[in-house]
Amino acid sequence: MGKTALVFSGQGAQYPGMGKELYECSAAAKAVFDMAEAVRPGTIRQCFEGTKEELSVTINTQPCVFITDLAAAAAVAEKGIRIDFAAGFSLGEIAAIAFSGMLSYEEAFRLVCKRAELMDKAAKNHPGAMAAVMKITPSQTEEICRSFTMAYPVNYNSPAQTVVAASGDEIDALCAKVKEIKGKAVKLAVSGAFHSPFMDEASDGMREYLAGIALDEPKLPVFANCTAEPYAGDYKELIALQINHPVRWQKTVENMIENGADRFIEVGVGKTLTGLIKKINADVSAVNIENKEGLDALC
């Protein structure tokens, strides 16, 4: 019998009204949102009624996406679905470790609020840009990045999609170089160059913040972005390194499949991960849960 992996969406797919249906149809999801509201008043309004512009600000995006992810996971668990593995894309990894029991939901939410603050500050102190590179291999993308002073592959999403981070001065030239070899490059509407050395100070800040926090053993394997392997060794260091190191998403999915996962449930905002999983391996099942319709269809 195959195994089920729960995967948590990351920053970028946010939209006004996210999570509202889950709040209204699931007691477990409502409890998660209410917890966040008590810690950070205004979170529910931002999720349900905030504008696209408001939700695109990092210090708002991360808490709102995180809590929608976690609420969707709580709604799935409420249905009695057995989960064997967990992983999250970037921000989603913090939701995954919370779901696994490494941190309480409240502690994880506070951590995410701090993470957003640190990353927002780093983005302002060290401006950069990001672009999705498609139709060429990760190796080709790496080679192009090496020809620039400050350009880095940061999200290994699928065999044909790698996201890069670069300085604002170099991003346009990098995109042009991608097009020269028949690839496609699309600049992303993000506020910083995440998962790269541009985020070093945010990573250091997270390391300091984590020094005062106790982490429990996970109740199920959580695959880390940095290693694409289940959390092992220094858990706090993995959380800190995740901020300024690449997200190895393709390898993460492949490793979960090698460990028996043949069913993936994406929880939270949008269906970006569902699409990537299908591109990585078309033989596995992948669905997304972000509203009542998706939850009702889950069995």
Side-chain angles (χ1 to χ4, degrees), residues 157-225:
N157 290 346
S158 75
Q161 185 187 107
T162 307
V163 173
V164 300
S167 66
D169 293 336
E170 293 184 319
I171 193 71
D172 287 335
L174 188 152
C175 291
K177 205 156 192 175
V178 169
K179 292 172 184 175
E180 284 176 12
I181 62 168
K182 309 303 181 185
K184 180 180 179 182
V186 179
K187 287 200 288 186
L188 302 180
V190 293
S191 59
F194 305 124
H195 299 288
S196 76
F198 288 87
M199 290 287 117
D200 283 352
E201 73 174 46
S203 180
D204 290 341
M206 178 54 65
R207 195 173 284 109
E208 292 174 11
Y209 179 81
L210 286 165
I213 294 176
L215 296 177
D216 293 326
E217 289 297 318
K219 295 181 175 67
L220 74 166
V222 178
F223 285 71
N225 284 179

Side-chain angles (χ1 to χ4, degrees), residues 2-296:
K3 296 180 179 180
T4 298
L6 202 63
V7 293
F8 295 78
S9 61
Q11 187 173 341
Q14 63 274 0
Y15 58 85
M18 60 186 183
K20 190 172 188 296
E21 286 190 22
L22 294 172
Y23 183 89
E24 294 171 345
C25 76
S26 165
K30 182 179 185 300
V32 173
F33 274 109
D34 288 345
M35 175 278 296
E37 185 66 20
V39 172
R40 181 181 180 270
T43 299
I44 288 179
R45 183 202 62 77
Q46 286 183 337
C47 289
F48 299 171
E49 303 171 16
T51 64
K52 183 178 179 181
E53 291 72 25
E54 183 179 14
L55 288 170
S56 295
V57 178
T58 297
I59 56 172
N60 297 331
T61 312
Q62 292 198 23
C64 289
V65 170
F66 169 85
I67 214 61
T68 303
D69 282 5
L70 206 50
V76 170
E78 186 180 37
K79 292 197 69 169
I81 305 295
R82 174 186 168 84
I83 304 300
D84 300 289
F85 307 124
F89 192 100
S90 186
L91 167 67
E93 184 171 324
I94 310 302
I97 67 172
F99 183 81
S100 78
M102 289 171 66
L103 284 171
S104 71
Y105 285 4
E106 181 175 332
E107 288 172 325
F109 184 63
R110 292 183 185 277
L111 186 152
V112 162
C113 292
K114 183 64 175 180
R115 183 181 188 269
E117 176 190 316
L118 290 168
M119 293 175 73
D120 182 64
K121 182 180 178 182
K124 289 173 180 173
N125 290 343
H126 308 282
M130 299 178 77
V133 176
M134 294 159 281
K135 297 185 178 180
I136 62 174
T137 67
S139 295
Q140 289 174 298
T141 303
E142 290 169 348
E143 184 177 351
I144 288 174
C145 285
R146 283 194 290 269
S147 66
F148 291 91
T149 305
M150 298 181 71
Y152 314 91
V154 293
N155 300 157
Y156 290 86
N157 290 346
S158 75
Q161 185 187 107
T162 307
V163 173
V164 300
S167 66
D169 293 336
E170 293 184 319
I171 193 71
D172 287 335
L174 188 152
C175 291
K177 205 156 192 175
V178 169
K179 292 172 184 175
E180 284 176 12
I181 62 168
K182 309 303 181 185
K184 180 180 179 182
V186 179
K187 287 200 288 186
L188 302 180
V190 293
S191 59
F194 305 124
H195 299 288
S196 76
F198 288 87
M199 290 287 117
D200 283 352
E201 73 174 46
S203 180
D204 290 341
M206 178 54 65
R207 195 173 284 109
E208 292 174 11
Y209 179 81
L210 286 165
I213 294 176
L215 296 177
D216 293 326
E217 289 297 318
K219 295 181 175 67
L220 74 166
V222 178
F223 285 71
N225 284 179
C226 285
T227 64
E229 300 284 350
Y231 262 70
D234 189 338
Y235 297 164
K236 293 181 181 181
E237 186 65 8
L238 285 173
I239 295 170
L241 288 176
Q242 188 237 39
I243 291 174
N244 66 340
H245 282 69
V247 176
R248 301 188 179 281
W249 187 250
Q250 179 183 340
K251 187 62 177 174
T252 295
V253 172
E254 289 171 345
N255 284 348
M256 286 192 284
I257 293 170
E258 286 181 11
N259 280 273
D262 62 2
R263 182 193 195 196
F264 289 81
I265 301 173
E266 177 181 3
V267 286
V269 185
K271 52 187 177 183
T272 300
L273 301 185
T274 300
L276 291 176
I277 290 164
K278 289 177 178 178
K279 289 178 181 177
I280 294 167
N281 189 319
D283 294 329
V284 299
S285 165
V287 298
N288 68 300
I289 306 298
E290 60 178 324
N291 53 31
K292 186 177 185 300
E293 180 182 2
L295 190 61
D296 288 346

